[in-house]
Amino acid sequence: MQEKKAIELASPRVRTSLRADVVWGSRVVSVGGGEPVRVQSMTNTDTEQAVETALQIKELALAGSEMVRITVNTPEAAQAVPYIREQLDRMGIDVPLIGDFHFNGHRLLSEFPDCAQALSKYRINPGNVGKGDKRDRQFGQMIEAAIRWNKAVRIGVNWGSLDQELLASMMDENSRRAQPWDAKPVMYEALITSAIESARRAVEMGLPAHQILLSCKVSGVRDLIAVYRELGQRCDYALHLGLTEAGMGTKGTVASAAALAVLLQEGIGDTIRVSLTPAPGESRTQEVVIASEILQSLGLRTFVPSVTACPGCGRTTSTTFQELTQQIDDFLRAQMPVWRERFPGVEHLKVAVMGCIVNGPGESKHADIGISLPGTGEAPAAPVFIDGEKRMTLRGENIAIDFQKVVEDYILQRFGAAAPTA
């Protein structure tokens, strides 16, 4: 009988891409070329409202966004960009800013050099830089600005604003085939052609290839996977992933995770964004949390301590373990902006909050620190396991508060020694 091989962890494939450096001042965030997959987000404030925009960027950055895109659509917005950068620097928020340009970006970058300098990257949509003869000229003006100020460029094609002249030409060409394709594959081809041909023109003008990122965004999960698989084979530019208009709540979260997880596991993607529609009153940071969770669940990045929790069943006691799980998860996330500096390595911490005796002790032993709450009808005692060993049992009405204190003490003891000294 043939000897069985050990089952190995499913590791993502590696796609070789050029490394782009997103520069602002003396600081750099590198994208592609084997660097970690970066999390990106976008503000929904009016950029002309500089203070409001700077505060939202700060909120996104503290949540874990490594780059933030802002709309630059009017002269007033372009004038506000340097002030936004200045406010962020004063607050110690060193996240790079990406300018999102449509229709008039060529003029804004030319007329407002302070804006062009304050941004770290320009997003150019080749579908709306102009029509006819104006298209190449206005696209060229934006590339010239990137060359002049040494900025990275994302050429971002979107099927909602695809170059209609290119699409019409490719549809005509398709109609002359002996066996014409369906309309959707033609649209896929138009998206990819628009991105790659635009990048080629930028390189011909003098923009280094390693300063170019590409994206071909669509709103369908299977469409996105099909387009990016082909795009990844045809070029070695760094790629930005994301469903455009992913949707709200559960729909947007699931769709983004389904599409991005497949591509990332195949080694495709160097930056990601979850274009989630916030619920009324919901923080914009939710899109950052979901993007980070996608990368962390795939084992590609580690951002925050992980909390393992059971879903609950007839054995669990009311909502006690649910409330404790929520409290611990919120507590860990809220502390991370400070802990990243104070306790290096704390993001690798594993915590378990379990609801009853069936899987509770076992899962708690697998975690760095875990608690197994009493289930329905069980003794009101919650054993706490630290580094695989039972260390104490919590009792009474303050189990949640007591366990949070245990977690804090554990972090201080384990990770405090690694803290940088003044």
Side-chain angles (χ1 to χ4, degrees):
M1 181 180 293
Q2 187 177 3
E3 184 178 351
K4 290 184 178 179
K5 293 183 179 179
I7 298 174
E8 297 180 356
L9 183 67
S11 299
R13 285 178 244 168
V14 177
R15 172 183 174 267
T16 302
S17 62
L18 298 172
R19 191 183 84 174
D21 291 330
V22 181
V23 181
W24 71 113
S26 61
R27 292 156 292 185
V28 178
V29 169
S30 295
V31 175
E35 295 292 326
V37 180
R38 304 295 184 183
V39 173
Q40 184 176 307
S41 61
M42 186 174 184
T43 59
N44 61 357
T45 56
D46 181 350
T47 307
E48 295 178 20
Q49 303 299 317
V51 173
E52 181 183 358
T53 300
L55 289 174
Q56 188 176 80
I57 293 169
K58 177 183 178 180
E59 185 181 22
L60 291 166
L62 291 177
S65 184
E66 295 165 294
M67 289 178 279
V68 178
R69 183 155 51 110
I70 59 177
T71 297
V72 187
N73 59 336
T74 64
E76 292 76 16
Q79 288 177 321
V81 170
Y83 181 72
I84 292 169
R85 178 73 271 171
E86 180 184 339
Q87 293 303 305
L88 293 170
D89 291 341
R90 287 180 178 175
M91 292 187 288
I93 304 299
D94 62 356
V95 66
L97 299 180
I98 302 166
D100 192 57
F101 294 99
H102 297 275
F103 309 110
N104 60 353
H106 61 289
R107 191 173 73 247
L108 296 177
L109 286 170
S110 298
E111 295 177 2
F112 298 94
D114 288 347
C115 168
Q117 292 181 72
L119 294 168
S120 299
K121 185 168 75 172
Y122 310 151
R123 185 279 173 105
I124 303 174
N125 184 340
N128 57 32
V129 294
K131 296 181 178 180
D133 295 339
K134 289 183 178 180
R135 180 175 61 245
D136 289 346
R137 184 173 68 253
Q138 292 173 178
F139 177 82
Q141 286 178 260
M142 300 182 76
I143 297 301
E144 287 171 357
I147 295 170
R148 179 180 182 184
W149 303 114
N150 188 31
K151 304 298 182 181
V153 168
R154 172 161 71 92
I155 295 173
V157 184
N158 190 307
W159 76 352
S161 53
L162 184 59
D163 183 340
Q164 293 303 300
E165 293 179 16
L166 173 64
L167 180 60
S169 173
M170 296 187 74
M171 286 291 188
D172 289 342
E173 180 183 341
N174 180 61
S175 68
R176 294 191 291 270
R177 288 191 173 97
Q179 293 183 321
W181 299 351
D182 292 336
K184 185 167 282 189
V186 179
M187 180 173 286
Y188 292 167
E189 189 67 27
L191 286 163
I192 294 169
T193 298
S194 178
I196 293 178
E197 286 300 305
S198 297
R200 181 186 59 78
R201 288 198 294 271
V203 171
E204 289 175 351
M205 291 184 63
L207 184 66
H210 67 268
Q211 290 299 89
I212 298 173
L213 298 88
L214 299 185
S215 67
C216 290
K217 288 193 172 184
V218 298
S219 56
V221 171
R222 296 173 66 189
D223 298 308
L224 191 82
I225 293 170
V227 168
Y228 271 89
R229 279 176 172 166
E230 186 67 20
L231 181 63
Q233 290 180 355
R234 292 199 203 174
C235 73
D236 59 0
Y237 295 108
L239 301 180
H240 172 72
L241 299 186
L243 285 171
T244 185
E245 297 98 29
M248 179 180 283
T250 302
K251 186 269 179 186
T253 300
V254 172
S256 294
L260 270 58
V262 170
L263 292 168
L264 291 167
Q265 186 67 18
E266 295 180 4
I268 300 171
D270 301 287
T271 67
I272 66 171
R273 184 197 170 200
V274 174
S275 299
L276 198 67
T277 304
E282 183 180 53
S283 172
R284 187 71 167 179
T285 59
Q286 188 64 12
E287 69 175 53
V288 179
V289 172
I290 293 168
S292 302
E293 286 290 349
I294 291 171
L295 293 176
Q296 186 154 330
S297 67
L298 291 171
L300 296 173
R301 300 283 304 273
T302 305
F303 297 94
V304 296
S306 64
V307 180
T308 299
C310 68
C313 68
R315 288 178 175 271
T316 52
T317 304
S318 61
T319 60
T320 304
F321 81 98
Q322 296 169 324
E323 294 164 357
L324 178 56
T325 302
Q326 183 70 61
Q327 180 178 338
I328 292 297
D329 195 61
D330 290 346
F331 171 70
L332 294 173
R333 288 187 181 278
Q335 296 301 315
M336 280 308 295
V338 174
W339 283 356
R340 283 191 188 100
E341 299 296 328
R342 187 179 176 193
F343 301 123
V346 70
E347 65 273 14
H348 298 287
L349 178 71
K350 297 184 184 300
V351 180
V353 180
M354 304 301 293
C356 79
I357 198 170
V358 174
N359 290 319
E363 285 285 358
S364 297
K365 289 177 182 178
H366 290 313
D368 295 311
I369 181 169
I371 185 171
S372 178
L373 292 164
T376 302
E378 297 170 6
V384 174
F385 296 82
I386 298 177
D387 295 329
E389 297 180 1
K390 181 180 175 181
R391 297 290 181 86
M392 65 189 74
T393 299
L394 302 180
R395 294 181 172 85
E397 298 179 355
N398 297 317
I399 287 178
I401 296 174
D402 293 341
F403 183 64
Q404 181 172 310
K405 180 64 167 59
V406 172
V407 172
E408 288 185 88
D409 290 343
Y410 179 84
I411 290 172
L412 181 61
Q413 178 183 355
R414 177 176 170 183
F415 298 101
T421 56

